[in-house]
Every structure is written in C-alpha cells, then in structure tokens.
Amino acid sequence: MEAEKMDKIVSLCKRRGFVFQGSEIYGGLKGTWDLGPLGVALNNNIKREWWKMFVESREDMYGLDAAILMNAKAWEASGHVAGFVDPLVEDLETGERFRADHLLKDNGIEAEGLTLEQIDDKIAEHGIKSPKGNSLSKARTFNMMFETRIGATSGPEGQVYLRPETAGGIFVNFKNVVDSMSPKLPFGIAQIGKAFRNEIAPREFLFRVREFEQMEIEYFVRPNEWEEKFEDLRQAILAWCDHIGLKRENVKEYRVPDNDLAHYSKRTIDFEYNFPGKGFDELYGFAYRTDFDLRAHAMHSGVALEYVEADGTKVVPHVLEPSFGIGRTFVAVLAEAYREEEVNGEVRTFISLPVHLAPYRAAVSPLLKNKPELVAKAREVFMMLKKQFGNVAWDDNGNIGKRYRRQDEIGTPHCIVIDFETLGQEAAELKDTVTVRNRDTGTQERVQIAELAAYIAN
Ligand code: ATP
C-alpha cells in the first residue's frame, strides 16, 4: 500500500510537471532529476519559508552564498579528501557496484560504524549476495567527492572538487562575517545551495541523488553553552517540521550512539521521516561538531579563526550544525499531503499542501471559455490576484470538473470560478461575487471579489 503510494507520487510528479528524470531524452543520467515548473515553485517555497524562519525572523542568524568551487585545501582541512568515503562492494559477475552498508541493512544487519574487515566478515557470515544473486567482492572505500579541474593547467594545482556539503563555504567565511558584521556570540551563518556527492548507488527518487540542495546552518557558541543551544535548535527543527505540515508521528529523532559518532562529534541526532514504502530514514542531520572545523581550517590556512569577547578574551567557538536536505523535504511534504478520497465511485486525488508551500495559492477560471463577458471578468479577477500574490494560475482547460481535478492534484488550495451570477445576470445580490471551491473539503462558497485577496491569503 505504502510502496504504491510512493509510486503514485513519483508518477504524479512527472505527469503534473513537478519532477522529470535528468537528461531524459538521452536516456537519463543516474542520480539526477530536473524540477519542472511546479517543482521549482514548491522547491522555492520550501527555501523561502526556511529562510524566513531560520534567518529573517531571528536576530542571531546571518546569510551567506558561497561559491560551489572552493580551494581544494578547504576539503583537505575538513577531512573530506581523506575520509568522505562510503564502503563499496562489486557484483563479481556483472561489475555492478553497491554500498556495502546498505546491502547489509537491506538484509536486516546493523551496519553503522563497521570497518571494511567487519563488513567482509558480515557478508561471509550471512552469505550475502548481490541483488542478482552473485558473489560480492571485498569491501573497499570510495570517495564521494566529484573531482574536476579549474583553469588551463594540467598540474595538481588545477584539481578542485564540487562541494559535497554547503558547510565548507560557511567555515571559510567565518572570519569575513565576524569582521564585517560584528555578530554577538552565539550566532549562526545560514546557507542554501547545491551539493554534489558521487553516490555509489543513487536510488529512491529524490532521496539519494548525486546533485542536490541543502539548507545548512553553522551555529557558533561558547563551549559551555552548547547543550542549551543544542536543545533550542532541536526545538527549532521540530517547529520547522510542523510548519511544513509533517505530522509529529511521522518524524522521529534518532540519537546516534556515542560509539558511532564521528570522532569530532559529541552528539548527533538524525531527524527521520516515515517515508512511504521505506519507513523511517534520515530527513535531516543535526550535529554538535565541537571546535573541530574552525581549528582544522585555522591550522591549514594559517589564519586565526577566533572570536574576541567584549573583555578581550579570545575563544574558538564550538559549532552546532543543523543540515536540511531539500529533496528529502520535497518528498516528505508531498507524501504527508497526498490524499485519495472516493467520491461517487471515483477516486479523487488531492495534495493537501499548506498554502505557503502550494505552487499556486489559487486558480481562476471562467465558467465557460466561449463567453467573452465571463472571460473578461475572470481575466480582471485573475490579474488583480496575480499582481498581489504572483502564484495564481489561469485555468480554462476542459470542463470545471476536470479543472478541479487538475488543481487538486497540484495542491491548489482554492479554485475561483467566475459565472453568470458574478455578472449579476441571475440575482442582483450575487453580482461581483465568485464561487470559491476548497481543495480539501470540495465545498464551495460565494465570496465578494473585494474580499477575495483576504480570503485566499492564508
Ligand atoms: P545518508 O546517511 O542518508 O547518506 P548523510 O548522513 O550522509 O545521509 P549528511 O551528510 O548529514 O547526510 O547531509 C545532510 C542532509 O543532506 C541529509 O540529512 C539529507 O537530507 C541530505 N542529503 C545527503 N545526501 C543526500 C543525497 N545523496 N541525496 C539527497 N539528499 C541528501
């Protein structure tokens, strides 16, 4: 049932212009997806709401938009060149590659934190084969950073990486933000942008891809206040989940056990979402990274990365890092909002998106498209709302029932219809009123045109 729901969401995404396979006419490019007109709208709404909540509505957050290409030394300092690896095994017959820890997990074996030797032992002990039933190679590590070259030189100085997370750009700009903005500690630097990981086996729609977007914060604190601020940010992440409509019962916190923590982390919580057909899996990560990053970048760059307190004391701030994947948010939001309902023996599908995320907040239609007086009035209403809100659709395709079904499927909260009553041809008291149909209940109300904007505002 749940797997079927995910398939339906994926197919709706394609059919209705949310998400297309990357490079589709050339047979696709694995691990890439393109956002269609409605996908861009939903994605932008997610980013705008996040920015409003985590940056604009707070006094302790500063925005940043750093370059994707960075000096390779930054990724040496952060440990990514040496250690941003996943364990890989190959099907010895077909050469197909798999993530060894995922293969173990798919076979019901806990794989977190295992060494390569331990992975080999588990594979032998449980007789694990590739999904095609063939023997597997020994496990080895695979670095997930995409490499590319910059400039016309062919030497090692031209070697650069596509950033595997946006966080790197924040750490290298720590001093710039402190010097230019004089923030008071504790404070955060937030960034939204693309990240690239050469995932061994991209899968599950937008869940694991090779090019994706992240919304990240590095929150700098005094060493002795990390626990209090960790709790504040934990609550802020939960408030965000509420804001985008995720039910609390579908969001679970998984505290990574101390023995599985990265060597620099003192506490990490994964916020998991109950993805249809998949169950609970990581939606967001939230880690206390101590002063590891600032110290490492200071050491490798030779530039002091410190904060000077009012009394002149220098501290190297510690860091809390909430990291939000936008693709996983996109899927979670759609999964949560997807509804099917039987009406007169037919299934009505609608996406009950919160109005602040819906691609269109309203669609405007003339009852009949061959009646110029209805069309003219409808265009007038449409232009008025479009000017104010932007994301308002004009829809005169097919009959009204078809239009409602289409708008239901793309999550439009309100459908506004201009009919003969609007023109005052039926009853004088209904002149300048329109029908507004509610996506979730299917009920209709007459609303004065003058009150429409307020009606669809929330
Ligand atoms: P996973 O364990 O699922 O590989 P991760 O722990 O490596 O994820 P982080 O490095 O914590 O992920 O990245 C932060 C967030 O970025 C994740 O919680 C997720 O939302 C998103 N993310 C990471 N990798 C991918 C990917 N390949 N495709 C889509 N989103 C991703």
Side-chain angles (χ1 to χ4, degrees):
M1 224 1 238
E2 284 292 286
E4 207 177 276
K5 175 171 165 186
M6 198 59 224
D7 290 344
K8 286 179 181 170
I9 291 171
V10 174
S11 112
L12 185 150
C13 279
K14 158 115 209 233
R15 189 160 32 87
R16 293 296 187 202
F18 281 87
V19 183
F20 308 126
Q21 194 189 356
S23 315
E24 190 175 351
I25 63 167
Y26 289 102
L29 180 68
K30 223 165 171 228
T32 67
W33 295 88
D34 296 340
L35 294 176
L38 299 189
V40 181
L42 172 54
N43 218 54
N44 283 345
N45 290 348
I46 292 170
K47 291 193 274 190
R48 192 198 53 237
E49 289 300 310
W50 187 88
W51 198 257
K52 268 205 296 207
M53 186 179 238
F54 285 98
V55 183
E56 291 175 353
S57 73
R58 302 177 59 128
E59 290 178 58
D60 58 347
M61 292 282 189
Y62 297 83
L64 184 78
D65 192 352
I68 288 174
L69 297 174
M70 293 173 65
N71 191 312
K73 286 181 191 150
W75 300 113
E76 281 159 26
S78 66
H80 283 79
V81 171
F84 194 57
V85 293
D86 271 341
L88 171 144
V89 283
E90 263 180 78
D91 179 316
L92 288 174
E93 300 287 318
T94 65
E96 276 173 284
R97 293 167 160 198
F98 303 97
R99 248 185 77 173
D101 54 334
H102 286 170
L103 267 189
L104 289 178
K105 237 173 129 189
D106 292 347
N107 282 276
I109 299 156
E110 193 41 65
E112 200 120 356
L114 295 185
T115 62
L116 293 178
E117 290 72 29
Q118 287 167 328
I119 288 175
D120 288 339
D121 289 349
K122 293 271 181 209
I123 287 176
E125 186 187 328
H126 296 272
I128 293 175
K129 303 278 182 208
S130 79
K132 294 214 169 115
N134 302 319
S135 300
L136 293 164
S137 69
K138 289 230 175 299
R140 63 188 159 89
T141 53
F142 174 77
N143 194 306
M144 289 197 288
M145 280 202 295
F146 279 101
E147 294 173 22
T148 187
R149 309 202 56 77
I150 197 160
T153 52
S154 57
E157 68 282 4
Q159 164 82 66
V160 289
Y161 303 95
L162 299 188
R163 66 181 180 202
E165 56 181 27
T166 61
I170 298 182
F171 290 120
V172 303
N173 279 291
F174 169 80
K175 186 172 178 336
N176 285 333
V177 173
V178 169
D179 291 349
S180 58
M181 306 301 294
S182 311
K184 299 264 172 300
L185 205 61
F187 69 92
I189 304 179
Q191 174 166 229
I192 298 180
K194 290 251 177 174
F196 303 82
R197 295 184 188 179
N198 198 1
E199 294 279 354
I200 295 166
R203 57 182 187 174
E204 294 160 322
F205 194 39
L206 304 179
F207 186 84
R208 188 169 303 285
V209 293
R210 289 182 169 138
E211 174 177 342
F212 56 100
E213 282 184 294
Q214 290 182 315
M215 309 182 284
E216 291 196 303
I217 296 166
E218 302 305 324
Y219 196 78
F220 300 97
V221 299
R222 293 180 185 89
N224 63 2
E225 62 189 358
W226 78 266
E227 271 171 305
E228 182 199 335
K229 298 299 167 195
F230 191 96
E231 181 54 23
D232 289 351
L233 282 172
R234 188 177 81 81
Q235 293 301 339
I237 296 169
L238 289 171
W240 163 253
C241 293
D242 292 341
H243 184 62
I244 56 173
L246 307 186
K247 285 204 201 80
R248 281 288 170 107
E249 73 219 42
N250 286 328
V251 177
K252 203 165 79 179
E253 290 173 61
Y254 169 75
R255 182 160 166 185
V256 177
D258 288 353
N259 57 345
D260 280 339
L261 290 174
H263 60 280
Y264 48 76
S265 179
K266 287 269 169 61
R267 185 182 298 168
T268 296
I269 293 178
D270 287 346
F271 285 79
E272 299 186 330
Y273 181 73
N274 190 10
F275 291 96
K278 178 173 172 65
F280 282 96
D281 209 335
E282 180 172 334
L283 174 65
Y284 305 138
F286 179 32
Y288 167 42
R289 299 175 61 96
T290 66
D291 57 1
F292 170 82
D293 302 274
L294 287 184
R295 282 199 190 280
H297 285 294
M299 200 175 85
H300 280 74
S301 65
V303 176
L305 298 178
E306 298 164 331
Y307 181 87
V308 185
E309 297 277 18
D311 66 1
T313 330
K314 288 181 179 166
V315 280
V316 178
H318 283 215
V319 162
L320 304 171
E321 181 189 72
S323 178
F324 305 70
I326 303 183
R328 292 185 192 180
T329 308
F330 190 109
V331 177
V333 157
L334 286 179
E336 191 75 53
Y338 185 90
R339 307 267 191 286
E340 283 180 0
E341 184 182 85
E342 218 180 285
V343 186
N344 304 328
E346 267 190 41
V347 179
R348 176 171 94 93
T349 302
F350 61 104
I351 314 183
S352 184
L353 288 171
V355 73
H356 49 270
L357 294 185
Y360 297 119
R361 69 173 53 239
V364 179
S365 290
L367 179 67
L368 300 169
K369 87 185 210 193
N370 58 359
K371 293 280 179 233
E373 62 276 33
L374 285 181
V375 174
K377 188 72 188 170
R379 290 296 300 176
E380 202 182 289
V381 171
F382 169 67
M383 289 314 296
M384 171 189 87
L385 296 177
K386 192 148 185 70
K387 222 167 165 183
Q388 177 159 354
F389 297 106
N391 64 340
V392 175
W394 171 259
D395 193 352
D396 61 3
N397 257 336
N399 62 35
I400 286 288
K402 277 215 181 95
R403 293 178 209 166
Y404 286 163
R405 271 201 296 284
R406 185 165 49 238
Q407 296 299 333
D408 281 348
E409 276 203 329
I410 63 174
T412 309
H414 298 109
C415 283
I416 298 164
V417 178
I418 282 69
D419 52 24
F420 293 106
E421 289 173 341
T422 314
L423 304 178
Q425 292 181 3
E426 312 283 323
E429 68 273 17
L430 290 179
K431 187 166 170 6
D432 287 332
T433 65
V434 294
T435 302
V436 183
R437 177 202 174 256
N438 182 291
R439 170 198 66 199
D440 295 347
T441 59
T443 51
Q444 305 189 358
E445 261 190 79
R446 283 311 288 187
V447 178
Q448 289 283 342
I449 291 176
E451 284 159 19
L452 257 186
Y455 190 91
I456 64 167
N458 298 301

